[in-house]
Amino acid sequence: MFGWQADPNADSYRLEVFDAFGTMVWSSLGTFSAGAGQPATATYGGPALQQGLIYQFRATSLKAGVPLSSTEDLSGAFLYQ
């Protein structure tokens, strides 16, 4: 499960997960906002992640398909255990 601060101006989000080599392993486009000031969340739906490897999650807010803002590069880095 991924979570991030919802962008009140967004009408959708592009989610991406990259492996340590920068290869995209999963992406999804949709509306993931919980609304009412709650963080937006999404369940990972890609191939199984490998234990002990580092990945990066990015969320980009969109308005009519145009990027508005994105999560910071290092804040989405995680070690899958």
Side-chain angles (χ1 to χ4, degrees):
M1 177 71 73
F2 293 107
W4 64 97
Q5 182 63 42
D7 182 343
N9 299 312
D11 57 20
S12 64
Y13 293 91
R14 180 176 57 238
L15 310 180
E16 301 167 311
V17 175
F18 297 88
D19 66 15
F21 303 104
T23 303
M24 185 184 304
V25 296
W26 179 69
S27 67
S28 183
L29 181 65
T31 56
F32 301 99
S33 180
Q38 297 298 313
T41 60
T43 302
Y44 177 72
L49 300 178
Q50 294 183 22
Q51 187 173 0
L53 294 185
I54 295 174
Y55 294 90
Q56 180 189 37
F57 166 73
R58 293 182 197 163
T60 302
S61 63
L62 307 169
K63 179 78 170 189
V66 177
L68 298 175
S69 64
S70 185
T71 54
E72 292 188 34
D73 289 345
L74 295 178
S75 65
F78 64 96
L79 175 66
Y80 184 73
Q81 298 184 7

